[in-house]
Amino acid sequence: MSGITDAIKGRTSANNFDTTHVMSDAEIHELVALTNETPTSFNMQNYRVIAVKSPEKKAALKAAAYNQPKVSEAAVTFAIIGKMKGNEALPALIKPMLDAGALDQAAFDGWIGMCNGMYAGNQAFQRDEAIRSGSLAAMTLMYAAHDMGLVSGAMIGFDPAAVAKELHLSEDEIPVMLIAVGKAAEGNWPRKVRRAVADVVSVI
Ligand SMILES: Cc1cc2nc3c(=O)[nH]c(=O)nc-3n(C[C@H](O)[C@H](O)[C@H](O)COP(=O)(O)O)c2cc1C
């Protein structure tokens, strides 16, 4: 079984975390470096990650997440934050490719022009993309955590306004998902049932 298949088949959501486990800042950076490889539309990279590690901040975040214990019991709860206006940030993000000669000016201008054509002035689509990019990043983070021998628990059970306030998000930022990450304690659920593949796929 390849590493990626092992991660896909081995990852489950954890509820119970070893409360004595501490993630080092180096481990947090290693995990986010892997998450950072997530693909995004036009390479807008329109998300960021806040690693909530301190007991005080985790307690405040837990209160904003309907008191779900894993928010504070896990070593770190990662907040995946989606960003609106990803198209406006794109030129600075891909300019290094222009400077390095990996893109010529026409390709650079075309890339930005197409991106603006799709997203500029379309708030609903920008929001869709912020959630889409954040969700893809969340999945990468969960598989990367599995690969590092850690477990994870994704959460959408939170008050978005309270999370935004607690994490000092800007008006253009959206809390997409919280992900508790750490070492498993006893009592987590075994793998859950999935639909039959035939009920999921249509080959046309
Ligand atoms: C977007 C998303 C939001 C979720 N929100 C919560 C949550 O707020 N609290 C919780 O206990 N589990 C939450 N879960 C966990 C799901 O219940 C779990 O992924 C699902 O039952 C499948 O189980 P598995 O992850 O072990 O395969 C969430 C999962 C996802 C993907």
Side-chain angles (χ1 to χ4, degrees), residues 11 35 38 80 134-145 177 179:
R11 182 215 59 82
T35 304
T38 299
I80 310 290
S135 298
L136 286 168
M139 193 73 258
T140 306
L141 188 147
M142 288 190 269
Y143 286 141
M177 220 180 289
I179 309 177

Side-chain angles (χ1 to χ4, degrees), residues 65-66 68 131 153-160 175-178:
Y66 308 124
Q68 295 194 62
I131 302 287
M155 287 166 274
I156 194 60
F158 57 79
D159 174 352
V176 173
M177 220 180 289
L178 300 178

Side-chain angles (χ1 to χ4, degrees), residues 16-22 73-75 151 182-186 188:
N16 302 333
F17 287 83
D18 174 353
T19 55
T20 65
H21 170 229
V22 175
E73 290 177 356
V151 292
K183 282 198 176 144
E186 292 297 310
N188 282 305

Side-chain angles (χ1 to χ4, degrees), residues 11-13 15 68 70 154-157 177 192 194:
R11 182 215 59 82
T12 53
S13 288
N15 257 319
Q68 295 194 62
K70 56 181 166 276
M155 287 166 274
I156 194 60
M177 220 180 289
K192 297 190 194 102
R194 292 294 198 260

Side-chain angles (χ1 to χ4, degrees), residues 26-183:
E27 288 171 311
I28 291 171
H29 280 92
E30 184 185 344
L31 184 52
V32 177
L34 292 168
T35 304
N36 199 29
E37 298 299 328
T38 299
T40 52
S41 173
F42 287 100
N43 202 27
M44 284 191 291
Q45 305 166 67
N46 49 331
Y47 70 89
R48 68 184 177 106
V49 179
I50 302 174
V52 183
K53 178 177 169 178
S54 79
E56 300 76 26
K57 270 286 169 197
K58 284 196 293 187
L61 192 60
K62 178 184 158 194
Y66 308 124
N67 282 315
Q68 295 194 62
K70 56 181 166 276
V71 175
S72 57
E73 290 177 356
V76 175
T77 292
F78 291 88
I80 310 290
I81 311 300
K83 295 182 181 184
M84 304 283 286
K85 300 182 182 166
N87 56 304
E88 292 180 18
L90 182 64
L93 290 175
I94 63 169
K95 185 156 182 304
M97 294 176 71
L98 178 69
D99 295 342
L103 279 180
D104 63 22
Q105 189 68 48
F108 179 80
D109 292 343
W111 188 337
I112 290 163
M114 275 193 290
C115 184
N116 279 328
M118 283 178 74
Y119 295 99
N122 190 339
Q123 290 221 326
F125 199 37
Q126 284 179 27
R127 187 182 162 85
D128 287 349
E129 209 54 66
I131 302 287
R132 195 156 27 229
S133 295
S135 298
L136 286 168
M139 193 73 258
T140 306
L141 188 147
M142 288 190 269
Y143 286 141
H146 178 89
D147 204 45
M148 290 169 65
L150 302 170
V151 292
S152 61
M155 287 166 274
I156 194 60
F158 57 79
D159 174 352
V163 169
K165 185 166 177 237
E166 195 52 52
L167 299 180
H168 307 292
L169 303 188
S170 76
E171 277 186 358
D172 292 331
E173 294 184 316
I174 303 156
V176 173
M177 220 180 289
L178 300 178
I179 309 177
V181 173
K183 282 198 176 144

